Amino acid sequence: MPKTNMLRQLSDRLHLDRPLAFVLANKVWQVLSGPITIALIIANFTLQEQGMYSGIISIIGIQSLFELGLLNVLIGQAGHEVPHFSEDRASDSDGSSESIKRMAELVRGSRRWFAIASMMFAALAFGIGFVTFRGTDAYGWQLPLVFVIPLSAIAVFLSPSIAILEGAGFRDDVYRNRLFQIVTGSLVVWTGLVLGCKLWVLVFSAAAQAGWMAYLTHWRYGAFFKKFLTVTQRPHNFSWRHDVVPIQWRSAIASIVFYMATGLFTVIVINFHSATEAAPLGMTLTIVAAIQMLALAWIQTKYPVVAAMHGALRREEAGTLWRQIAIASTGILVAGLGSLIALIAILPIAETWTSAALVPRFLSVAQVAMLGTGCVLNHAVAIQAFYVLSRRSSPLLAASTIGYGTVGIAVWLGGYWNGTNGLLLGYMAAMLLVAFPIHTVAYIKFRSTYRDPASE
C-alpha cells in the first residue's frame, strides 16, 4: 500500500494521464529503437551515405516551415471551442450552434491553407534537394527524393485535421495513432536497411506516416469532419480572416525565422563543406531530437488542456498546471542531454569492445555540450511561446524574430566559416546572449499586462 501511494503521488506530481502515457510510450520507443537504427545505419551506410540520409531528413523537415505555426494555433482555437460544445449541446445536432459554426470555419479554412502549403512544400523541397545534392559526388539519392517528397506533402495536408482532433479532446486517439506511426516507421526502416534498400527506407517511413494519418482523419474520424464540412452557415462572431489569420501570420513569420535558424544544420554543413563532415552532426541531432521530443511530451499533451482551461476562464488553475509541467519537462531535457554527453564520452571504450569506428559517427563531447546548451535555452523559449498561444494571443513576434534572426545569422556564418564547430558555437552564443533573454523579457511583460477580453 505505501508503495502504491508513492507511485500515485509521483504520477500526480508528473501529471501522468492516458494521453501522456501514449506520448511517453512513443518517446520511449524512440529511445529504445534509436540504438538499433543507428547500429543498422553504421553497418549498412558509408559515412557519405549517412550524411545523405541525414540531409534528406533535414530537407523533409522543411514541412514544419510550411505549417507556418498554424497547427498550434488550431489546437488552441479548437480547445477554446470545446467548453462551448456542452453549453450549446441542444443545437449541436443540426449545426445551428455558434460553436459548431466556428469549428466548421476552422476545418474548412485549415484545409484550404494546407492544400496550398503542401504543394508549396513539395516544390521547395525538390528545389533544395537538387541544389544541395547535385554538387556532391554522392549517388542513389535522386529517386528516393522524388518519392519521399510527395508522401511527406500528403502528411502536410492532413496535419491540420490531426491538430483539430487534438484540440477538440480526442487526444487518446491522436497520440495512439502517433505511437503506431513511429513503431511502424521503425520496423519498415529496419527491414529496408537489412535488405540493403539504402535511402529508400526514408520512402517506406514516409508512406507509413501518411497511411496512419489518413486512417485517423478519413476513416476513424471521417464522420466527425463530415459534420462540420456540411455546415453552410457562417458564425456571427468568428471568421478565419479576423480570428485566425492575425495570430497565424505572426506564428508563420516566427516559424520561418525559427526554421531557418535551427532546422537546416545538416544542410548548411553539406552545402559549405561535405556530406562526410555532416554525418556525425546528423547522427547526433537524431538522438538530441528524440530527447527534445521526450521532454516536450509534457508540454504538447497539456497544451490543449491549458487552452481549454483558459477557454473556461480557469486562469489560475491553468497557470499553476503550466508551471508544474514546465519544470518537469525542462528537468527531463537536462537529464537526457547529460546522459548523452556521458555516453559520447565513453565511445572510445566502446570501440575497443565492438571493433567498430564509433567516434567518427558522432559529435565530440564539447560539441554536444554546445548543442545541448542551445537546446535547453530553446526549450525554455518554446515553453513561453506555447503558453502565449494557450491564451489565444498572438505570438511574441518581435522577440522571436529578433532572437532567432540573430541565431540564424550566427549559425549560417559559423557553418560557412568553420563547419560544424562554427555552427554549434554560433547557435549556443546567439541563444544565450540574444534569443533567450529577449524572449523572456517579452514573455514577462506579456504575463504582467495581458488581459483576455473574454474575462472582462
Side-chain angles (χ1 to χ4, degrees):
M1 184 70 71
K3 186 175 293 186
T4 302
N5 291 335
M6 186 180 301
L7 291 175
R8 185 177 295 111
Q9 290 175 0
L10 179 61
S11 176
D12 292 341
R13 185 178 295 274
L14 294 177
H15 299 280
L16 295 175
D17 56 13
R18 187 178 178 86
L20 181 55
F22 282 124
V23 176
L24 291 178
N26 183 317
K27 307 314 173 187
V28 169
W29 174 264
Q30 287 181 305
V31 171
L32 297 178
S33 64
I36 300 175
T37 304
I38 290 171
L40 289 172
I41 288 174
I42 292 174
N44 292 279
F45 282 170
T46 65
L47 202 57
Q48 184 185 65
E49 289 171 337
Q50 178 183 320
M52 299 300 293
Y53 175 88
S54 299
I56 292 178
I57 290 177
S58 293
I59 290 170
I60 297 305
I62 69 170
Q63 61 185 273
S64 62
L65 176 65
F66 286 89
E67 291 165 359
L68 298 176
L70 184 54
L71 296 184
N72 290 324
V73 175
L74 289 174
I75 293 172
Q77 293 281 355
H80 274 260
E81 296 307 324
V82 170
H84 302 297
F85 282 168
S86 58
E87 297 171 7
D88 299 342
R89 191 171 299 280
S91 55
D92 279 355
S93 59
D94 62 0
S96 62
S97 76
E98 284 299 303
S99 59
I100 291 292
K101 294 175 188 176
R102 289 193 294 266
M103 186 68 87
E105 184 73 5
L106 282 178
V107 172
R108 286 192 298 262
S110 63
R111 289 193 173 187
R112 286 194 300 266
W113 274 81
F114 277 83
I116 298 172
S118 62
M119 292 184 286
M120 294 176 63
F121 156 74
L124 184 61
F126 276 122
I128 293 177
F130 280 94
V131 168
T132 299
F133 297 139
R134 70 179 181 180
T136 69
D137 56 356
Y139 59 90
W141 54 268
Q142 292 89 345
L143 282 179
L145 190 70
V146 166
F147 279 89
V148 76
I149 288 175
L151 289 169
S152 299
I154 293 173
V156 171
F157 173 70
L158 296 174
S159 58
S161 297
I162 301 290
I164 288 174
L165 286 174
E166 185 176 353
F170 302 107
R171 296 184 300 143
D172 279 13
D173 282 337
V174 169
Y175 300 148
R176 183 189 295 112
N177 186 271
R178 288 175 181 164
L179 175 60
F180 292 159
Q181 285 181 39
I182 191 69
V183 172
T184 306
S186 295
L187 294 176
V188 297
V189 166
W190 295 346
T191 303
L193 288 172
V194 170
L195 295 177
C197 296
K198 298 288 185 179
L199 297 177
W200 283 96
V201 298
L202 295 171
V203 179
F204 305 155
S205 179
Q209 179 190 25
W212 279 113
M213 293 177 72
Y215 162 77
L216 188 65
T217 57
H218 287 72
W219 182 267
R220 180 74 172 83
Y221 283 99
F224 172 83
F225 288 107
K226 184 178 180 180
K227 175 174 67 174
F228 298 114
L229 292 173
T230 55
V231 174
T232 57
Q233 301 177 48
R234 298 289 181 177
H236 297 299
N237 59 350
F238 182 88
S239 73
W240 182 269
R241 176 176 297 179
H242 295 103
D243 292 271
V244 177
V245 171
I247 300 177
Q248 188 268 333
W249 75 263
R250 291 176 173 85
S251 291
I253 293 175
S255 296
I256 291 170
V257 175
F258 176 79
Y259 182 79
M260 295 302 296
T262 66
L264 294 170
F265 285 6
T266 308
V267 172
I268 292 171
V269 177
I270 291 176
N271 263 308
F272 294 139
H273 299 277
S274 69
T276 301
E277 182 174 344
L281 174 62
M283 181 72 82
T284 308
L285 282 174
T286 300
I287 302 173
V288 170
I291 296 171
Q292 287 178 300
M293 292 307 296
L294 177 62
L296 277 173
W298 272 260
I299 303 299
Q300 292 171 333
T301 56
K302 301 303 180 183
Y303 165 61
V305 177
V306 172
M309 286 179 177
H310 284 304
L313 303 182
R314 295 155 55 193
R315 307 297 186 205
E316 185 174 347
E317 186 179 351
T320 299
L321 174 60
W322 195 253
R323 284 191 296 273
Q324 292 170 346
I325 62 177
I327 293 171
S329 176
T330 304
I332 289 169
L333 177 63
V334 172
L337 291 172
S339 299
L340 175 61
I341 291 174
L343 289 173
I344 295 291
I346 64 172
L347 278 182
I349 300 175
E351 278 189 339
T352 62
W353 298 339
T354 61
S355 300
L358 299 177
V359 172
R361 299 280 183 162
F362 299 90
L363 296 178
S364 68
V365 169
Q367 290 173 327
V368 177
M370 288 190 289
L371 176 61
T373 301
C375 287
V376 172
L377 297 171
N378 187 25
H379 183 77
V381 171
I383 291 172
Q384 296 169 0
F386 269 109
Y387 185 80
V388 172
L389 286 177
S390 75
R391 297 290 294 266
R392 199 159 62 173
S393 180
S394 299
L396 305 176
L397 179 60
S400 296
T401 303
I402 295 172
Y404 283 105
T406 304
V407 173
I409 293 171
V411 163
W412 282 82
L413 289 179
Y416 173 78
W417 164 63
N418 197 28
T420 301
N421 281 325
L423 182 149
L424 294 175
L425 181 60
Y427 176 54
M428 179 187 68
M431 284 298 309
L432 182 63
L433 300 176
V434 182
F436 175 70
I438 287 179
H439 200 277
T440 300
V441 170
Y443 176 71
I444 293 172
K445 183 178 179 181
F446 168 84
R447 290 293 300 268
S448 63
T449 61
Y450 178 79
R451 286 181 60 84
D452 192 331
S455 63
E456 296 179 347

